[in-house]
Amino acid sequence: PWVIVTIDVVTCLALVLAYYRPVPGAIVMGLVQTATTVTGLATLTVVLTPGVPLLAGMRGRPRLRVWSTAWLAPLLLWQTFVTLGLDVPRRALLAALATATLFGMAWLVGDVIRHQRSEIGRLDEERELAVRAERLAIARDLRDAAADATARVAVRAEQATLRGVPD
């Protein structure tokens, strides 16, 4: 059991690494998946493997997502065959469909999250531009008001000088 726990911990760490550093995280996850496939151990890796394409999609790394899916999906499928002993073609087809669905959902969720993040960034930029425009309009209005008041004072001072009113 300590081997399985160790593999599960490394899998979780690989997924965290894949969030911050997608390429090394994908490599570590692939190595862990390869090790669990070769040994035939059923671990948490089966559930967390689609996390790498999901995170690659979230981070906007389409090439990494394709390569990680091309590497990890067949390994996950093979591990499912080895673990469950799928010698019946119908069960093998169901396992293949489940793997494809799992990775497809990971791709979809990654795209949705990336799109939401980019939309939030775009809205933040628009809001910042609107705030700048409003500040500029307020500054322009204050400048116009100050210039108008200064001009009125200057005109009144000139009129007072022409009338002969002492300072």
Side-chain angles (χ1 to χ4, degrees):
W2 65 270
V3 173
I4 293 175
V5 171
T6 305
I7 290 173
D8 287 344
V9 168
V10 171
T11 301
C12 292
L13 291 175
L15 202 56
V16 170
L17 179 64
Y19 180 75
Y20 292 106
R21 300 279 186 223
V23 174
I27 291 170
V28 171
M29 182 64 89
L31 293 174
V32 170
Q33 180 67 35
T34 304
T36 57
T37 301
V38 169
T39 59
L41 296 173
T43 64
L44 191 61
T45 311
V46 174
V47 179
L48 295 180
T49 298
V52 173
L54 170 104
L55 292 173
M58 283 172 51
R59 306 286 282 179
R61 307 285 300 261
R63 227 181 305 155
L64 175 64
R65 183 171 63 173
V66 169
W67 283 108
S68 63
T69 300
W71 182 14
L72 296 173
L75 286 174
L76 181 62
L77 189 59
W78 179 255
Q79 184 179 11
T80 306
F81 289 165
V82 169
T83 304
L84 299 178
L86 299 176
D87 51 357
V88 179
R90 194 161 116 194
R91 285 187 184 171
L93 179 63
L94 287 175
L97 287 175
T99 301
T101 302
L102 204 58
F103 276 89
M105 291 300 291
W107 276 51
L108 181 67
V109 170
D111 282 347
V112 166
I113 291 172
R114 187 182 72 246
H115 177 71
Q116 285 179 344
R117 285 183 178 174
S118 67
E119 189 67 21
I120 288 171
R122 187 185 63 77
L123 291 175
D124 284 345
E125 287 176 10
E126 285 180 6
R127 184 182 57 81
E128 184 64 33
L129 288 174
V131 167
R132 284 184 187 169
E134 186 65 26
R135 286 180 183 161
L136 185 61
I138 290 170
R140 209 175 291 127
D141 288 346
L142 285 173
R143 185 199 65 204
D144 290 348
D148 186 46
T150 305
R152 270 193 251 130
V153 168
V155 168
R156 286 187 183 158
E158 184 67 30
Q159 287 175 349
T161 305
L162 290 176
R163 288 186 195 160
V165 177
D167 289 335

